[in-house]
Amino acid sequence: MKPFDKEEQKKTPYLTAYKKYLKSDITSFDVPGHHQGNIRTDFDKVFPHEVYKNDINCPIGMDNIMHPKGVIKEAQDLFAKACGADYAKFLLNGSTSGNLLMIISAVKAHEKIILPRNVHKSVISGLIFSGAIPVFVMPEIDSQTEITNQISYQEWKKAIDANPDAKAIFIINPTYFGATCNLKKIVEYAHSKNMIVLVDEAHGTHFYFSNKLPASAMEAGADMSTLSVHKTGGSLTQSSVLLVKGDRVSKYDINKTFNMITTTSPSSILIGSLDAARKYLVFKGSEALYQAIKLERQAIELINEIPGFKAHGRDYFKTKCKAYDYDETKLVIEIDKLKVSGFDIYKMLKEKYHIQIELAETYVLLCLFTIGTKKKHLDNLVNALRLISKKYYVPSITYEDHHYMKSFPSMELRPRSAYHAPLKVVKIGRALNQISKEMIMIYPPGIPLIIPGEKFTQEVIDELKYYKKIKANILSDWEGSNEVSCVDLKKFKDEKEHE
């Protein structure tokens, strides 16, 4: 990554203009309608009234996010330089909007894009908007923990060679659980075949600010990536950044797509948090991340002494899961010989021990060690797991066979076509061989079990029944509790109707 001017990185152009505006005693006749807090509501019982006062839209002097020429552009340029990108765009609807933006601007209707099947729901939404044809590649699955991991360079190469007409490839790096791929080698091969490389880097903002973590997308030469700065970079929830390098995707296409999906009422608070987070990461991120990694390593040692839990880190993922590298700010804890599932422990930690972890699966828990993690947080987690172990550990327990889906359903229609096709509502138990009109997933992490255009298999049906039985958080479009929305093939006329 190219070195940047650290003196320049001390600037916070948006925050500086923000402070100036707030001190100028403006009489408001614009939006938002509370006019910088000239009302009081129950919101004031929870938050300081200053939140209202600081909530402005895009008045004179604060720039316009759709056509930035002033302080937003300056702040975006500083972010791009800090990450080794040519330019950046602030996203105020999370990395969902970034994934949409990348796919819509890079791939048009009926063009192929190669991507992992364990992509986030927003990527499938991007396929629906663009009309692109997905070519899915199966990632490695760890049968022991039921975690979906990375795709090897060899598998990417095989998919690229088998689809020379593909316009782009879409890579998840890192995965939700922290596994990374040989990104630079994959990017170089895709580029040699004239394919655009898009990277979902939602969980990898911190890669840009530590030499103890895997390579970033820009360092690897990717064309575009999306960072959820709020996840691991310290900005406020919902604030993300799109990074762009090179000209394989035209700036015009990126701008017109951005202006189509972004809000015309941007939150100054979110933009300000991005400006501040970038400066923090440049000057303090490396040390803060080093401390987070040290805590994660301590956690592995301590938790592995507790009966019923197996903590996994970099060594496990590189050897057992065939990951090229691993993000050591992630901590995966496997459940072993406990009378409760990961879902039960997830709820128990919150309700009884006041600990909120990132997510749970049947046999694993996921904890994030970030720039905000302290030693006392680790102590609280370890103490809680010790108490849970004492109560629920039974050495003689043998778990039922793992039920994780070993394959994904076949694609029968483009996602866009299925999305627009006539609707037929079917009971889950009768959905076998029906074509789905919707995405159905467990959230978090938001990876669909089935997407529009895929055919229901018995494996998908069984998986859905299982998740309903344990009352997992299932997200779907159809609101019927035991029904799914499918394509009415008798009324479906022609795939070309849905260009």
Side-chain angles (χ1 to χ4, degrees):
M1 196 165 75
K2 291 181 181 178
F4 50 80
D5 185 345
K6 278 219 168 183
E7 194 62 33
E8 185 184 41
Q9 289 288 327
K10 291 179 180 177
K11 298 177 182 177
T12 51
Y14 191 84
L15 274 179
T16 301
Y18 201 173
K19 291 176 198 172
K20 183 178 178 182
Y21 185 89
L22 294 174
K23 288 178 180 178
S24 58
D25 193 24
I26 295 292
T27 298
S28 297
F29 284 97
D30 62 348
V31 295
H34 58 72
H35 284 180
Q36 288 189 266
N38 289 326
I39 61 169
R40 288 191 177 272
T41 68
D42 285 356
F43 189 82
D44 292 282
K45 297 176 182 177
V46 181
F47 298 98
H49 196 67
E50 287 297 312
V51 176
Y52 271 122
K53 291 185 180 296
N54 296 340
D55 182 35
I56 58 176
N57 191 212
C58 43
I60 293 173
M62 296 306 296
D63 209 356
N64 186 301
I65 198 167
M66 300 184 83
H67 296 284
K69 297 177 181 178
V71 292
I72 292 178
K73 184 180 185 305
E74 289 181 53
Q76 289 180 159
D77 288 347
L78 286 170
F79 213 116
K81 289 175 182 177
C83 295
D86 290 344
Y87 63 96
K89 284 188 171 293
F90 288 166
L91 308 171
L92 305 182
N93 191 29
S95 287
T96 287
S97 59
N99 285 338
L100 291 174
L101 201 166
M102 289 195 294
I103 292 172
I104 297 169
S105 62
V107 193
K108 297 177 175 59
H110 297 287
E111 290 182 334
K112 285 183 183 177
I113 180 170
I114 306 170
L115 66 171
R117 179 52 182 79
N118 58 316
V119 290
H120 187 263
K121 66 182 291 291
S122 58
V123 178
I124 307 303
S125 296
L127 296 176
I128 292 169
F129 276 113
S130 71
I133 300 171
V135 177
F136 289 121
V137 186
M138 278 299 294
E140 294 283 345
I141 296 175
D142 177 13
S143 58
Q144 182 174 324
T145 60
E146 298 188 348
I147 289 175
T148 306
N149 288 299
Q150 276 293 353
I151 297 168
S152 68
Y153 167 75
Q154 289 74 20
E155 288 301 311
W156 273 112
K157 184 177 183 299
K158 190 186 299 182
I160 290 169
D161 290 343
N163 297 275
D165 55 338
K167 182 73 177 295
I169 70 171
F170 186 99
I171 302 171
I172 307 166
N173 197 74
T175 64
Y176 205 139
F177 291 93
T180 63
C181 59
N182 192 343
L183 191 57
K184 192 173 191 301
K185 195 171 181 180
I186 296 166
V187 169
E188 288 173 351
Y189 192 73
H191 282 170
S192 76
K193 301 298 181 180
N194 298 314
M195 295 183 190
I196 296 163
V197 180
L198 314 174
V199 182
D200 180 346
E201 209 169 18
H203 293 270
T205 299
H206 51 309
F207 287 8
Y208 291 87
F209 304 96
S210 172
N211 59 13
K212 299 185 183 303
L213 293 167
S216 68
M218 293 296 103
E219 185 180 353
D223 300 294
M224 286 196 277
S225 75
T226 299
L227 312 182
S228 287
V229 185
H230 67 96
K231 284 184 168 74
T232 60
S235 65
L236 294 177
T237 294
Q238 207 171 303
S239 56
S240 295
V241 170
L242 176 80
L243 299 177
V244 184
K245 194 170 192 173
D247 57 3
R248 285 184 178 84
V249 183
S250 79
K251 196 167 187 178
Y252 169 73
D253 284 338
I254 292 169
N255 285 340
K256 74 177 183 182
T257 306
F258 176 82
N259 291 340
M260 178 175 71
I261 66 175
T262 198
T263 176
T264 55
S265 301
S267 165
S268 291
I269 295 173
L270 295 184
I271 298 173
S273 78
L274 285 169
D275 201 15
R278 183 263 315 155
K279 180 179 177 180
Y280 177 91
L281 289 167
V282 166
F283 292 100
K284 298 181 179 179
S286 179
E287 177 58 26
L289 288 165
Y290 175 62
Q291 295 303 323
I293 292 168
K294 282 174 62 178
L295 287 173
E296 187 262 6
R297 291 173 180 173
Q298 289 177 35
I300 291 173
E301 290 181 12
L302 293 169
I303 292 169
N304 279 333
E305 295 173 354
I306 305 172
F309 296 102
K310 295 177 181 177
H312 299 311
R314 191 168 185 263
D315 291 343
Y316 179 88
F317 278 86
K318 288 196 69 172
T319 55
K320 178 75 165 58
C321 304
K322 303 177 185 177
Y324 178 75
D325 205 348
Y326 187 70
D327 173 11
E328 287 192 89
T329 69
K330 307 289 193 297
L331 175 66
V332 173
I333 306 171
E334 183 183 353
I335 308 301
D336 181 47
K337 298 187 181 300
L338 295 176
K339 290 191 295 183
V340 286
S341 71
F343 295 107
D344 296 324
I345 296 171
Y346 177 87
K347 293 175 184 175
M348 207 181 301
L349 285 170
K350 171 61 171 59
E351 293 170 2
K352 189 170 182 178
Y353 301 102
H354 309 291
I355 296 171
Q356 181 65 62
I357 63 171
E358 176 63 14
L359 67 77
E361 298 283 1
T362 308
Y363 301 103
V364 294
L365 310 172
L366 175 63
C367 301
L368 307 187
F369 283 66
T370 72
I371 55 177
T373 307
K374 305 299 178 189
K375 178 64 164 57
K376 64 180 180 181
H377 302 141
L378 170 58
D379 293 341
N380 289 345
L381 175 65
V382 170
N383 290 335
L385 295 181
R386 282 173 178 154
L387 293 170
I388 291 170
S389 172
K390 286 180 181 178
K391 188 170 183 179
Y392 296 104
Y393 178 66
V394 181
S396 60
I397 281 182
T398 300
Y399 286 142
E400 61 184 64
D401 289 341
H402 288 211
H403 56 84
Y404 189 85
M405 290 167 59
K406 296 178 177 61
S407 62
F408 283 98
S410 62
M411 176 69 66
E412 304 295 321
L413 294 173
R414 278 187 311 152
R416 183 184 179 98
S417 296
Y419 178 85
H420 287 295
L423 168 69
K424 177 171 69 172
V425 179
V426 178
K427 294 284 187 184
I428 291 174
R430 295 178 175 270
L432 185 64
N433 295 327
Q434 299 290 331
I435 297 174
S436 179
K437 266 185 66 66
E438 63 178 326
M439 282 183 271
I440 306 176
M441 72 212 71
I442 310 304
Y443 190 85
I447 299 167
L449 299 172
I450 193 166
I451 67 174
E454 288 183 338
K455 185 185 288 187
F456 276 94
T457 63
Q458 190 60 50
E459 200 172 6
V460 172
I461 292 168
D462 292 343
E463 194 81 355
L464 272 174
K465 287 180 177 179
Y466 168 77
Y467 283 122
K468 283 183 176 291
K469 179 182 176 182
I470 65 172
K471 297 181 179 178
N473 189 23
I474 301 174
L475 297 187
S476 62
D477 300 329
W478 186 254
E479 294 181 354
S481 61
N482 289 302
E483 299 168 324
V484 290
S485 62
C486 301
V487 173
D488 189 333
L489 289 173
K490 289 183 179 179
K491 295 180 181 179
F492 183 76
K493 295 179 181 177
D494 192 341
E495 208 266 354
K496 290 183 180 179
E497 286 184 352
H498 311 296
E499 292 294 324

